[in-house]
Amino acid sequence: MTTVYLVDDEAVVRDALAFLLGSRGLLVQTYDSGQALLDALAHQRQQLRRPVRGVFVLDVRMPQMSGLQLHEALIELGLRNPVLFLSGHGDIPMVVEALKKGAFDFLEKPYSDNTLVDRIAQALAVEAASVADNAAALERQARLDSLSEREREVMQRVAAGKLNKVIADELHIAVRTVEVHRARVFAKLGVKSAAELAGWLAAA
């Protein structure tokens, strides 16, 4: 399930934000430090074997590990989930640096509850779309990997608009053999025409 991972060293702030987000139907997990979050994520990925779904809401000014340093640690772990920074001391260079490293947004305190919730909802939508895109890409790659070398050769020529007889001449095989490979390619990739095949490959 998608989660809002909230990291803030101030208990009052954590509790208030957790209550706010929970009241809007969001699943929230709170942490008092960057290291606490990293330890929890390590357990989730290694022990529970669960992917990290959701977004990170990080306070910028925290002892030991700042929000920006935590963001870098998340990137090093290969996590590209949307990150929203919260800060009462934000300046332009800090904002630029955070955005350059892929931060989704940077909200300076005081911010309205509705603004925060809306941006988190938008970040969750972006994360869900990214997961769906990755799943679709993996599915396309799996279908391509299921093709034999000869089927790939036929596929490329069919997608280029070549007739079966031309393909047969180029590959030195019978037209009937081309037809069989063509049918298998269409079936494995889930397409019904050369035009659809060309579009499918372009998307892949």
Side-chain angles (χ1 to χ4, degrees):
M1 186 174 182
T2 54
T3 302
V4 178
Y5 297 92
L6 171 64
V7 185
D8 196 301
D9 61 310
E10 296 185 39
V12 173
V13 175
R14 285 198 313 276
D15 293 344
L17 289 179
F19 178 80
L20 168 66
L21 300 178
S23 70
R24 302 296 180 90
L26 298 173
L27 177 63
V28 186
Q29 292 184 12
T30 63
Y31 305 90
D32 60 4
S33 69
Q35 191 58 56
L37 171 65
L38 295 176
D39 291 344
L41 294 178
H43 175 73
Q44 179 174 323
R45 300 175 81 188
Q46 297 171 11
Q47 304 292 329
L48 304 180
R49 301 294 180 184
R50 289 208 310 263
V52 178
R53 291 291 316 278
V55 302
F56 299 103
V57 178
L58 314 178
D59 186 35
V60 170
R61 306 276 182 174
M62 294 186 290
Q64 285 83 50
M65 182 185 297
S66 71
L68 295 176
Q69 292 171 324
L70 176 55
H71 186 205
E72 292 177 356
L74 294 172
I75 293 173
E76 290 177 1
L77 289 175
L79 297 175
R80 295 295 186 270
N81 305 58
V83 173
L84 291 87
F85 285 106
L86 307 178
S87 175
H89 311 281
D91 54 20
I92 297 301
M94 187 180 295
V95 172
V96 171
E97 186 67 18
L99 296 178
K100 276 184 177 179
K101 292 183 177 178
F104 182 79
D105 204 351
F106 196 111
L107 301 181
E108 188 169 7
K109 302 172 185 176
Y111 44 79
S112 74
D113 290 350
N114 286 338
T115 296
L116 175 61
V117 173
D118 287 347
R119 290 304 283 158
I120 289 177
Q122 291 163 10
L124 287 169
V126 167
E127 191 265 350
S130 177
V131 169
D133 287 344
N134 288 338
L138 291 173
E139 172 64 19
R140 287 193 296 267
Q141 188 58 54
R143 287 176 179 267
L144 282 173
D145 290 344
S146 72
L147 299 178
S148 67
E149 182 177 351
R150 180 64 83 189
E151 287 168 350
R152 285 175 176 270
E153 293 173 338
V154 171
M155 174 192 71
Q156 292 164 355
R157 289 165 172 79
V158 171
K162 294 183 178 181
L163 299 175
N164 288 349
K165 186 178 185 308
V166 174
I167 297 173
D169 290 342
E170 289 184 358
L171 297 180
H172 307 292
I173 57 179
V175 172
R176 176 55 184 160
T177 302
V178 172
E179 293 172 347
V180 170
H181 286 313
R182 179 185 180 121
R184 288 176 178 170
V185 168
F186 282 13
K188 289 182 178 181
L189 301 188
V191 298
K192 297 179 180 179
S193 68
E196 190 176 350
L197 172 63
W200 191 95
L201 291 174

